[in-house]
Amino acid sequence: AQKITQTQPGMFVQEKEAVTLDCTYDTSDQSYGLFWYKQPSSGEMIFLIYQGSYDEQNATEGRYSLNFQKARKSANLVISASQLGDSAMYFCAMVLRDYGQNFVFGPGTRLSVLP
Amino acid sequence: DSGVTQTPKHLITATGQRVTLRCSPRSGDLSVYWYQQSLDQGLQFLIQYYNGEERAKGNILERFSAQQFPDLHSELNLSSLELGDSALYFCASSAWLDRANEQFFGPGTRLTVL
């Protein structure tokens, strides 16, 4: 069965430093997409970054980059120059294209940025 | 503001009741997704509609049903409610069937079952 694992329930980082949030996934499908979402305390879900399984280059979006290691089935999120506003829950998710657009989410990592 | 609207924002009801959650996608988006976020189950994908047709099904209970109307708004119907159905229900939309990487989430409907 498809599964996303996020082993860090909580993380702390100093403001302006970089932080890596871990995500590993398990699927036998060849075609899939990986996402990261941010959920602040206000509750909304904010899309951060996407990586397709056939994309050869790691995705980047501003201060966010996705460290995609296909052989290890990992898709870690790197946030550079952390800001206080980055404090939130972060979810890693996978979409499996062979079954329509079936999504699987990880349990999330709560990131706290310290001033 | 993502452009996706959900009503109501909060809903409190009793066990055994039925409720309807409504979602209006972003203008021009044809695909609608429903998700449930609860403390014990985390975030779960429920169902996807594209241009009125069901396209993918996740962990949606038989007591739950959804539909997408010709004007592209979608409704999620939850019946025979149980305490465990208390959760935040998100709707998201994207322009195309295969553009899940461009989906935008609504603010959610918080359902409390007493």
Short mmCIF file of all heavy atoms in Angstrom, two decimals, chain A residues 35 37 39 43-47 50 91 95 97 99-106, chain B residues 33 35 37 43-45 48 55-58 88 90 97-101 103 105:
data_model
loop_
_atom_site.label_atom_id
_atom_site.label_comp_id
_atom_site.label_asym_id
_atom_site.label_seq_id
_atom_site.Cartn_x
_atom_site.Cartn_y
_atom_site.Cartn_z
N PHE A 35 4.26 16.32 -3.20
CA PHE A 35 3.90 17.69 -2.84
C PHE A 35 4.34 18.00 -1.42
O PHE A 35 4.43 17.10 -0.58
CB PHE A 35 2.38 17.88 -2.82
CG PHE A 35 1.68 17.63 -4.09
CD1 PHE A 35 1.44 16.33 -4.52
CD2 PHE A 35 1.22 18.68 -4.86
CE1 PHE A 35 0.77 16.10 -5.69
CE2 PHE A 35 0.53 18.44 -6.02
CZ PHE A 35 0.30 17.15 -6.45
N TYR A 37 2.84 20.78 1.51
CA TYR A 37 1.87 21.80 1.86
C TYR A 37 2.22 22.36 3.23
O TYR A 37 2.74 21.66 4.09
CB TYR A 37 0.45 21.21 1.94
CG TYR A 37 -0.13 20.81 0.62
CD1 TYR A 37 -0.01 19.50 0.17
CD2 TYR A 37 -0.80 21.73 -0.17
CE1 TYR A 37 -0.55 19.12 -1.05
CE2 TYR A 37 -1.34 21.36 -1.38
CZ TYR A 37 -1.22 20.06 -1.82
OH TYR A 37 -1.75 19.69 -3.01
N GLN A 39 0.48 24.30 6.58
CA GLN A 39 -0.77 24.62 7.24
C GLN A 39 -0.48 25.46 8.48
O GLN A 39 -0.09 24.95 9.52
CB GLN A 39 -1.55 23.35 7.63
CG GLN A 39 -2.94 23.67 8.17
CD GLN A 39 -3.75 22.42 8.48
OE1 GLN A 39 -3.22 21.42 8.97
NE2 GLN A 39 -5.04 22.46 8.18
N GLY A 43 -5.24 27.43 9.81
CA GLY A 43 -5.92 26.25 9.29
C GLY A 43 -5.92 26.05 7.79
O GLY A 43 -6.16 24.94 7.33
N GLU A 44 -5.64 27.09 7.01
CA GLU A 44 -5.70 26.88 5.56
C GLU A 44 -4.52 26.06 5.08
O GLU A 44 -3.49 26.00 5.72
CB GLU A 44 -5.75 28.23 4.81
CG GLU A 44 -4.44 29.00 4.78
CD GLU A 44 -4.31 30.00 5.90
OE1 GLU A 44 -4.84 29.74 6.99
OE2 GLU A 44 -3.64 31.03 5.68
N MET A 45 -4.70 25.39 3.96
CA MET A 45 -3.64 24.58 3.35
C MET A 45 -3.02 25.37 2.20
O MET A 45 -3.72 25.83 1.31
CB MET A 45 -4.22 23.28 2.79
CG MET A 45 -4.74 22.34 3.84
SD MET A 45 -3.41 21.60 4.79
CE MET A 45 -2.73 20.47 3.59
N ILE A 46 -1.71 25.52 2.25
CA ILE A 46 -1.01 26.32 1.26
C ILE A 46 -0.05 25.43 0.50
O ILE A 46 0.84 24.80 1.08
CB ILE A 46 -0.24 27.47 1.93
CG1 ILE A 46 -1.22 28.34 2.74
CG2 ILE A 46 0.51 28.30 0.91
CD1 ILE A 46 -0.54 29.31 3.68
N PHE A 47 -0.19 25.38 -0.81
CA PHE A 47 0.71 24.60 -1.66
C PHE A 47 2.08 25.26 -1.68
O PHE A 47 2.20 26.48 -1.85
CB PHE A 47 0.13 24.52 -3.06
CG PHE A 47 1.11 24.05 -4.10
CD1 PHE A 47 1.44 22.71 -4.19
CD2 PHE A 47 1.71 24.94 -4.96
CE1 PHE A 47 2.35 22.27 -5.14
CE2 PHE A 47 2.62 24.52 -5.91
CZ PHE A 47 2.94 23.17 -6.00
N TYR A 50 6.09 21.13 -5.83
CA TYR A 50 5.69 19.87 -6.46
C TYR A 50 6.88 19.27 -7.21
O TYR A 50 7.68 19.99 -7.83
CB TYR A 50 4.55 20.13 -7.44
CG TYR A 50 4.25 18.96 -8.35
CD1 TYR A 50 3.45 17.91 -7.90
CD2 TYR A 50 4.76 18.89 -9.64
CE1 TYR A 50 3.16 16.84 -8.71
CE2 TYR A 50 4.49 17.82 -10.45
CZ TYR A 50 3.68 16.80 -9.99
OH TYR A 50 3.41 15.73 -10.79
N PHE A 91 3.05 19.26 5.54
CA PHE A 91 2.62 17.94 5.12
C PHE A 91 3.27 17.57 3.80
O PHE A 91 3.27 18.36 2.84
CB PHE A 91 1.10 17.89 4.93
CG PHE A 91 0.33 18.04 6.21
CD1 PHE A 91 -0.16 19.27 6.61
CD2 PHE A 91 0.09 16.94 7.02
CE1 PHE A 91 -0.87 19.42 7.78
CE2 PHE A 91 -0.61 17.08 8.21
CZ PHE A 91 -1.09 18.32 8.58
N VAL A 95 0.67 11.89 -4.96
CA VAL A 95 -0.48 11.60 -5.81
C VAL A 95 -0.11 10.48 -6.76
O VAL A 95 0.96 10.48 -7.35
CB VAL A 95 -0.96 12.85 -6.58
CG1 VAL A 95 0.10 13.38 -7.52
CG2 VAL A 95 -2.23 12.55 -7.34
N ARG A 97 -0.95 8.54 -10.05
CA ARG A 97 -1.69 8.82 -11.27
C ARG A 97 -2.36 7.59 -11.87
O ARG A 97 -3.28 7.69 -12.64
CB ARG A 97 -0.76 9.45 -12.30
CG ARG A 97 -0.13 10.71 -11.73
CD ARG A 97 0.53 11.56 -12.77
NE ARG A 97 1.17 12.70 -12.14
CZ ARG A 97 0.52 13.76 -11.70
NH1 ARG A 97 -0.77 13.83 -11.82
NH2 ARG A 97 1.16 14.74 -11.14
N TYR A 99 -4.20 5.60 -10.50
CA TYR A 99 -5.51 5.38 -9.91
C TYR A 99 -6.29 6.69 -9.89
O TYR A 99 -6.91 7.05 -8.91
CB TYR A 99 -5.38 4.83 -8.48
CG TYR A 99 -4.63 3.53 -8.43
CD1 TYR A 99 -3.31 3.49 -8.00
CD2 TYR A 99 -5.23 2.35 -8.82
CE1 TYR A 99 -2.62 2.30 -7.96
CE2 TYR A 99 -4.54 1.15 -8.77
CZ TYR A 99 -3.24 1.14 -8.35
OH TYR A 99 -2.56 -0.05 -8.29
N GLY A 100 -6.27 7.39 -11.00
CA GLY A 100 -6.88 8.71 -11.01
C GLY A 100 -5.95 9.65 -10.29
O GLY A 100 -4.75 9.64 -10.50
N GLN A 101 -6.48 10.41 -9.43
CA GLN A 101 -5.65 11.37 -8.69
C GLN A 101 -5.77 11.07 -7.21
O GLN A 101 -6.19 11.88 -6.43
CB GLN A 101 -6.14 12.79 -8.97
CG GLN A 101 -6.06 13.19 -10.42
CD GLN A 101 -4.67 13.69 -10.76
OE1 GLN A 101 -4.24 14.70 -10.25
NE2 GLN A 101 -3.97 12.96 -11.60
N ASN A 102 -5.38 9.88 -6.83
CA ASN A 102 -5.54 9.45 -5.45
C ASN A 102 -4.38 9.96 -4.61
O ASN A 102 -3.22 9.69 -4.91
CB ASN A 102 -5.59 7.93 -5.41
CG ASN A 102 -6.34 7.44 -4.20
OD1 ASN A 102 -6.48 8.15 -3.22
ND2 ASN A 102 -6.83 6.22 -4.26
N PHE A 103 -4.70 10.69 -3.58
CA PHE A 103 -3.70 11.34 -2.75
C PHE A 103 -3.47 10.59 -1.45
O PHE A 103 -4.39 10.07 -0.85
CB PHE A 103 -4.14 12.76 -2.39
CG PHE A 103 -4.07 13.72 -3.52
CD1 PHE A 103 -5.08 13.79 -4.44
CD2 PHE A 103 -2.98 14.56 -3.65
CE1 PHE A 103 -5.01 14.67 -5.49
CE2 PHE A 103 -2.90 15.44 -4.70
CZ PHE A 103 -3.93 15.51 -5.62
N VAL A 104 -2.21 10.60 -1.01
CA VAL A 104 -1.85 10.06 0.30
C VAL A 104 -1.02 11.12 1.02
O VAL A 104 -0.08 11.66 0.44
CB VAL A 104 -1.02 8.76 0.16
CG1 VAL A 104 -0.61 8.24 1.52
CG2 VAL A 104 -1.81 7.71 -0.59
N PHE A 105 -1.37 11.41 2.25
CA PHE A 105 -0.66 12.43 3.03
C PHE A 105 0.13 11.80 4.17
O PHE A 105 -0.26 10.78 4.72
CB PHE A 105 -1.65 13.42 3.64
CG PHE A 105 -2.21 14.40 2.66
CD1 PHE A 105 -3.30 14.06 1.87
CD2 PHE A 105 -1.66 15.65 2.53
CE1 PHE A 105 -3.82 14.96 0.96
CE2 PHE A 105 -2.18 16.56 1.63
CZ PHE A 105 -3.25 16.21 0.84
N GLY A 106 1.23 12.45 4.51
CA GLY A 106 1.96 12.07 5.70
C GLY A 106 1.34 12.69 6.94
O GLY A 106 0.43 13.50 6.83
N TYR B 33 -11.67 18.53 -5.46
CA TYR B 33 -11.23 17.48 -4.56
C TYR B 33 -11.81 17.74 -3.17
O TYR B 33 -11.90 18.88 -2.75
CB TYR B 33 -9.70 17.47 -4.41
CG TYR B 33 -8.92 17.53 -5.70
CD1 TYR B 33 -8.79 18.72 -6.42
CD2 TYR B 33 -8.26 16.41 -6.20
CE1 TYR B 33 -8.06 18.79 -7.59
CE2 TYR B 33 -7.52 16.46 -7.37
CZ TYR B 33 -7.43 17.66 -8.06
OH TYR B 33 -6.69 17.72 -9.21
N TYR B 35 -11.27 16.64 0.97
CA TYR B 35 -10.37 16.05 1.95
C TYR B 35 -10.98 16.16 3.34
O TYR B 35 -11.73 17.09 3.63
CB TYR B 35 -9.02 16.80 1.99
CG TYR B 35 -8.25 16.78 0.70
CD1 TYR B 35 -8.45 17.75 -0.28
CD2 TYR B 35 -7.30 15.78 0.47
CE1 TYR B 35 -7.73 17.73 -1.46
CE2 TYR B 35 -6.58 15.77 -0.71
CZ TYR B 35 -6.80 16.75 -1.67
OH TYR B 35 -6.08 16.73 -2.83
N GLN B 37 -9.72 16.24 7.41
CA GLN B 37 -8.58 16.31 8.34
C GLN B 37 -9.11 16.15 9.76
O GLN B 37 -9.84 16.99 10.26
CB GLN B 37 -7.84 17.64 8.21
CG GLN B 37 -6.57 17.68 9.07
CD GLN B 37 -5.79 18.97 8.89
OE1 GLN B 37 -6.33 20.03 8.60
NE2 GLN B 37 -4.48 18.88 9.04
N LEU B 43 -4.79 13.83 7.50
CA LEU B 43 -5.39 14.34 6.27
C LEU B 43 -5.68 13.19 5.34
O LEU B 43 -4.78 12.42 5.00
CB LEU B 43 -4.41 15.28 5.57
CG LEU B 43 -4.72 16.75 5.57
CD1 LEU B 43 -3.54 17.54 5.04
CD2 LEU B 43 -5.95 17.06 4.73
N GLN B 44 -6.92 13.08 4.88
CA GLN B 44 -7.28 11.99 4.00
C GLN B 44 -8.00 12.54 2.77
O GLN B 44 -8.91 13.36 2.89
CB GLN B 44 -8.19 11.00 4.72
CG GLN B 44 -7.51 10.25 5.84
CD GLN B 44 -8.27 8.99 6.18
OE1 GLN B 44 -8.08 7.95 5.54
NE2 GLN B 44 -9.16 9.08 7.13
N PHE B 45 -7.61 12.02 1.64
CA PHE B 45 -8.28 12.34 0.39
C PHE B 45 -9.58 11.54 0.34
O PHE B 45 -9.59 10.34 0.59
CB PHE B 45 -7.37 11.99 -0.78
CG PHE B 45 -8.06 11.93 -2.11
CD1 PHE B 45 -8.53 13.09 -2.72
CD2 PHE B 45 -8.22 10.73 -2.77
CE1 PHE B 45 -9.15 13.04 -3.96
CE2 PHE B 45 -8.83 10.67 -4.01
CZ PHE B 45 -9.31 11.82 -4.61
N GLN B 48 -12.57 12.91 -5.87
CA GLN B 48 -12.30 13.94 -6.86
C GLN B 48 -13.37 13.91 -7.94
O GLN B 48 -13.78 12.83 -8.39
CB GLN B 48 -10.94 13.74 -7.52
CG GLN B 48 -10.62 14.81 -8.56
CD GLN B 48 -9.59 14.38 -9.58
OE1 GLN B 48 -9.20 13.21 -9.63
NE2 GLN B 48 -9.12 15.31 -10.39
N ARG B 55 -13.89 11.04 -10.60
CA ARG B 55 -12.70 10.56 -11.28
C ARG B 55 -11.77 9.75 -10.38
O ARG B 55 -10.94 8.99 -10.87
CB ARG B 55 -11.91 11.73 -11.89
CG ARG B 55 -12.65 12.46 -12.98
CD ARG B 55 -13.18 11.52 -14.04
NE ARG B 55 -12.12 10.82 -14.74
CZ ARG B 55 -11.73 11.11 -15.97
NH1 ARG B 55 -12.31 12.08 -16.63
NH2 ARG B 55 -10.78 10.42 -16.55
N ALA B 56 -11.84 9.99 -9.10
CA ALA B 56 -10.99 9.22 -8.18
C ALA B 56 -11.65 9.17 -6.83
O ALA B 56 -12.32 10.11 -6.40
CB ALA B 56 -9.60 9.84 -8.07
N LYS B 57 -11.47 8.03 -6.17
CA LYS B 57 -12.08 7.84 -4.86
C LYS B 57 -11.00 7.43 -3.87
O LYS B 57 -10.21 6.54 -4.14
CB LYS B 57 -13.12 6.73 -4.96
CG LYS B 57 -14.41 7.01 -4.24
CD LYS B 57 -15.48 6.02 -4.64
CE LYS B 57 -16.78 6.37 -3.98
NZ LYS B 57 -17.88 5.52 -4.41
N GLY B 58 -11.00 8.08 -2.73
CA GLY B 58 -10.05 7.73 -1.67
C GLY B 58 -10.77 7.04 -0.54
O GLY B 58 -11.60 6.17 -0.75
N LEU B 88 -12.14 18.71 10.06
CA LEU B 88 -12.09 19.85 9.14
C LEU B 88 -12.17 19.27 7.73
O LEU B 88 -11.39 18.38 7.37
CB LEU B 88 -10.77 20.60 9.35
CG LEU B 88 -10.54 21.92 8.63
CD1 LEU B 88 -11.64 22.91 8.91
CD2 LEU B 88 -9.17 22.48 9.06
N PHE B 90 -11.90 19.93 3.81
CA PHE B 90 -11.37 20.86 2.81
C PHE B 90 -11.88 20.49 1.43
O PHE B 90 -12.02 19.31 1.09
CB PHE B 90 -9.83 20.78 2.76
CG PHE B 90 -9.14 21.45 3.90
CD1 PHE B 90 -8.51 20.68 4.88
CD2 PHE B 90 -9.07 22.83 3.99
CE1 PHE B 90 -7.84 21.28 5.93
CE2 PHE B 90 -8.39 23.44 5.04
CZ PHE B 90 -7.79 22.66 6.01
N LEU B 97 -7.79 17.96 -15.09
CA LEU B 97 -7.85 16.67 -14.42
C LEU B 97 -6.49 16.27 -13.88
O LEU B 97 -6.36 15.77 -12.77
CB LEU B 97 -8.35 15.61 -15.41
CG LEU B 97 -8.36 14.17 -14.90
CD1 LEU B 97 -9.33 14.04 -13.72
CD2 LEU B 97 -8.73 13.22 -16.02
N ASP B 98 -5.46 16.50 -14.70
CA ASP B 98 -4.15 15.97 -14.37
C ASP B 98 -3.20 17.06 -13.85
O ASP B 98 -2.01 16.97 -14.00
CB ASP B 98 -3.52 15.30 -15.60
CG ASP B 98 -2.36 14.43 -15.21
OD1 ASP B 98 -2.36 13.88 -14.11
OD2 ASP B 98 -1.41 14.31 -16.01
N ARG B 99 -3.75 18.09 -13.24
CA ARG B 99 -2.90 19.17 -12.75
C ARG B 99 -3.07 19.31 -11.24
O ARG B 99 -3.32 20.38 -10.71
CB ARG B 99 -3.25 20.48 -13.45
CG ARG B 99 -3.09 20.44 -14.94
CD ARG B 99 -1.66 20.18 -15.34
NE ARG B 99 -0.83 21.35 -15.17
CZ ARG B 99 -0.64 22.26 -16.11
NH1 ARG B 99 -1.25 22.13 -17.27
NH2 ARG B 99 0.12 23.29 -15.89
N ALA B 100 -2.93 18.20 -10.56
CA ALA B 100 -3.07 18.20 -9.12
C ALA B 100 -2.03 19.09 -8.46
O ALA B 100 -2.23 19.59 -7.36
CB ALA B 100 -2.97 16.79 -8.58
N ASN B 101 -0.91 19.30 -9.15
CA ASN B 101 0.13 20.14 -8.56
C ASN B 101 -0.25 21.60 -8.56
O ASN B 101 0.46 22.43 -8.02
CB ASN B 101 1.45 19.97 -9.32
CG ASN B 101 1.29 20.18 -10.81
OD1 ASN B 101 0.41 19.60 -11.41
ND2 ASN B 101 2.14 20.98 -11.40
N GLN B 103 -3.42 22.60 -7.46
CA GLN B 103 -4.70 22.69 -6.78
C GLN B 103 -4.63 23.72 -5.66
O GLN B 103 -3.61 23.90 -5.02
CB GLN B 103 -5.17 21.34 -6.25
CG GLN B 103 -4.28 20.70 -5.22
CD GLN B 103 -4.89 19.40 -4.73
OE1 GLN B 103 -6.04 19.36 -4.28
NE2 GLN B 103 -4.13 18.33 -4.81
N PHE B 105 -6.62 25.21 -2.20
CA PHE B 105 -7.52 24.78 -1.15
C PHE B 105 -8.43 25.91 -0.68
O PHE B 105 -8.01 27.07 -0.59
CB PHE B 105 -6.71 24.28 0.06
CG PHE B 105 -6.22 22.87 -0.08
CD1 PHE B 105 -5.15 22.58 -0.91
CD2 PHE B 105 -6.82 21.83 0.62
CE1 PHE B 105 -4.68 21.28 -1.04
CE2 PHE B 105 -6.36 20.53 0.51
CZ PHE B 105 -5.29 20.25 -0.33
#
